[in-house]
Amino acid sequence: MSNRKELANAIRVLSMDAIQKANSGHPGAPMGMADIAEVLWNDYLVHNPANPKWANRDRFILSNGHGSMLLYSLLHLSGYDVSIDDLKQFRQLHSKTPGHPEHGMTPGVESTSGPLGQGIACAVGMAVAEKVMAAQYNRDGHTVMDHYTYVFMGDGCMMEGLSHEACSLAGNLQLGKLIVFYDDNGISIDGCVDGWFSDDTPRRFEAYGWHVVPAVDGHDGEAIKDAIEKARRELDRPTLICCKTVIGQGAPNVCGTAKCHGAPLGEEEIRCTREAMNWPHGPFEIPKLVYSAWGAKGSGFMAEDSWNGRFKEYEKAYPQLADEFRRRMEGDLPDEFISHASNFVDAVDAKAESLATRKSSQNAIEGLAPVLPEFFGGSADLAGSNLTRWSGSKTATPADWNGNYMNYGVREFAMSVMMNGMVLHGGFIPYGGTFLVFSDYARNAMRMSALMGLRVLYVLTHDSIGVGEDGPTHQPVEHVESLRLIPNMDVWRPCDGVESSVAWEQAIKRTDGPSSLIMSRQTLPHQTRSSETIDSVSRGGYVLRHCNGTPNAILIATGSEVSLAMEAAMTLESRGHQVRVVSMPCTAAFERQSVAYRDEVLLPHVTARVAVEAGVTSGWGKYVGLNGAVLGMDRFGESAPGNELFDYFGFTEANLVALVEQVIDGKRIAA
């Protein structure tokens, strides 16, 4: 039987060998946190390497994701489908072991991590998900959801503002099964952190309402185990275990310095490290006894098998709940959702109401949520403005976790990362609201949603200069286009209730990425459509207004500018022009259509095209071409009533008509 130090040293040597072979990587954190990892993974973590998707497994997040070889070594040693050859391919193209952990690429990686602070915030979302699922599905004598969420984080995560947002809320929510290990090694890329990070971290977390275990020797297995025992006895507060470690522990000449943070140790230092650790084995060589001591397949099988037995008993007692639990964890929609959503869209069209699309958005939630128990809403302290609450909303709190809504406070970034965590945990389709202009605060989380292909719904209201008197600080002229630049992000900017409802339906049905739902503050008129036209809304771009003959101009618009385009088309028709109006609520969805469909909508032979959107113009060139024009605004707004601003910035029927006629006449105009 190997001792703890030998088991931890297996992590160290695999990490330094893989990083040396790649000639790239971060050996400091894996070597410094190896002892903590050994105790947690061998004595406490409940998981099954043969089934990384087991619903009731403990979740482990490496927030300081640059130390990825720590996680890959753990996965390999404990029996996941991560081979020694995979470790040898560390940081190489198409390998299972990329530079930072990536969800969906490596079995056992719960979340993509590396942008510091996002791992801990994601874990807070996972811990919330565990609490809510337990409250919704556990019954007396039948426990189907009951696991811990463990996090490793370092000084960099602590310094990022996101950790303040997320950990403050975690304390408020009394997430007792969230246990975080702080790698307090005092070193970051630029050296000793004393000059730029002198927070009293234990007192900071105590002020958040956390249980803190301070001053733990991160290289003493028994001290680490004692700290974990204390953490697991604390049921009503998340725990921070402050582990004092030496970065690069084991490397005799560079440990404790920034030299081992983000660069290979070098062949000579690796030789010295092996000698200092009394590790006589060659690169990537692990003794069989060490593998045997690390292996978790047997214990993992037993843990899941025991849970499966309990779930069968649960299924007998509560068959409908069991079916729903299983469906939610697999990410499938209810069988009735498609027909229910279609009927709802038809009902919205029949009402023909003119509403602010933020109100249409709320109506869509009201109409669709009753058949979606997995729906979990929230807002960054703007519920009354974003209109993200519906009649069935119930706030989840420590007093009663059986809810479907979260008050995130003014924490746009934490809210967004927590939603990522809820999706990764399984069982939820989360949506969260803020003003569109504050999507800047959430942007890196939104990017991570797209990178991981997560079904997260961002409700972003108060678009464009229609915000009005709040002025340019709150008028998001560049934000719609900037969100469109994020690969795999669907951005919907609907023009009325029908498009708003379809946008929600499509965002919910989409399983491979996030959606941003851009909604107006001001009232927008209902647009009349045929049933065939309604069916085309989901394609992202469609002909809203046909003309009597062959068009000699095409108007393309989104959101609040669609009604302007419709008015201008009528005026142009009265002047003898044949003008088609294309509503383009989602360019990404439109680009996924066939070339034939796109050509049918935009008619390549019609070169007189004008796009209109109350935002920056940079993205519309591909649609209007070299002979077209864009009516937009490539500057910041002003403070005034919204209707005055639309006039001031030229979003008027007269101005649009004049621009279209200039384009028809062949005059090149820079709007």
Side-chain angles (χ1 to χ4, degrees), residues 198-513:
S198 57
D199 297 15
D200 188 333
T201 298
R203 292 182 66 187
R204 167 188 159 190
F205 275 76
E206 287 172 355
Y208 289 155
W210 284 55
H211 170 228
V212 177
V213 184
V216 176
D217 183 345
H219 303 301
D220 182 337
E222 292 308 308
I224 296 163
K225 186 168 185 176
D226 181 64
I228 296 174
E229 288 293 331
K230 291 176 180 176
R232 288 168 64 93
R233 287 195 296 268
E234 176 58 58
L235 303 179
D236 298 323
R237 292 179 294 171
T239 294
L240 179 73
I241 300 175
C242 299
C243 298
K244 192 64 182 175
T245 65
V246 176
I247 189 171
Q249 174 73 356
N253 299 303
V254 297
C255 69
T257 73
K259 292 180 180 178
C260 64
H261 173 88
L265 298 182
E267 296 292 352
E268 179 58 23
E269 183 67 8
I270 286 176
R271 186 192 65 76
C272 293
T273 302
R274 275 188 159 80
E275 184 177 304
M277 292 192 303
N278 192 26
W279 188 274
H281 315 288
F284 298 101
E285 290 183 10
I286 304 295
K288 289 183 178 179
L289 284 177
V290 172
Y291 272 127
S292 178
W294 265 108
K297 284 186 176 180
S299 60
F301 172 82
M302 291 174 63
E304 183 174 358
D305 188 59
S306 175
W307 182 86
N308 287 336
R310 298 196 304 272
F311 193 82
K312 286 181 181 178
E313 294 301 313
Y314 177 77
E315 196 169 23
K316 291 177 184 176
Y318 303 99
Q320 290 182 327
L321 282 178
D323 286 346
E324 186 176 273
F325 177 91
R326 188 183 295 108
R327 178 189 64 75
R328 284 179 60 171
M329 291 303 293
E330 291 175 354
D332 297 330
L333 291 174
D335 291 338
E336 67 270 26
F337 176 76
I338 300 300
S339 60
H340 180 88
S342 179
N343 292 336
F344 175 74
V345 172
D346 289 341
V348 170
D349 182 59
K351 281 187 178 180
E353 292 181 295
S354 293
L355 300 168
T357 51
R358 63 171 172 160
K359 180 60 181 177
S360 298
S361 171
Q362 184 183 46
N363 290 345
I365 300 171
E366 186 78 40
L368 300 175
V371 298
L372 293 170
E374 56 265 62
F375 234 22
F376 192 93
S379 181
D381 205 48
L382 290 167
S385 294
N386 299 142
L387 304 184
T388 47
R389 295 187 71 96
W390 61 290
S391 62
S393 290
K394 178 184 176 183
T395 303
T397 69
D400 182 4
W401 280 105
N402 186 16
N404 60 7
Y405 196 88
M406 176 68 65
N407 292 320
Y408 291 99
V410 187
R411 298 182 178 96
E412 297 89 354
F413 199 176
M415 173 184 72
S416 303
V417 186
M418 285 172 64
M419 290 195 294
N420 288 343
M422 295 188 77
V423 176
L424 290 166
H425 176 278
F428 294 92
I429 300 176
Y431 63 93
T434 186
F435 289 166
L436 173 59
V437 75
F438 299 137
S439 64
D440 282 339
Y441 287 134
R443 186 177 180 88
N444 201 260
M446 300 175 78
R447 182 178 186 269
M448 293 286 277
S449 303
L451 180 63
M452 289 188 275
L454 304 181
R455 179 165 48 186
V456 179
L457 281 58
Y458 296 96
V459 184
L460 306 172
T461 67
H462 294 59
D463 71 333
S464 80
I465 53 175
V467 172
E469 294 88 341
D470 281 338
T473 62
H474 283 56
Q475 292 166 8
V477 295
E478 77 274 27
H479 293 70
V480 173
E481 189 57 38
S482 71
L483 290 175
R484 288 178 181 140
L485 293 175
I486 300 176
N488 200 37
M489 172 69 75
D490 278 5
V491 180
W492 291 86
R493 187 172 183 244
C495 74
D496 66 359
V498 170
E499 286 192 359
S500 298
S501 302
V502 172
W504 270 98
E505 176 192 11
Q506 294 303 307
I508 292 166
K509 287 166 62 176
R510 187 179 184 220
T511 60
D512 60 354

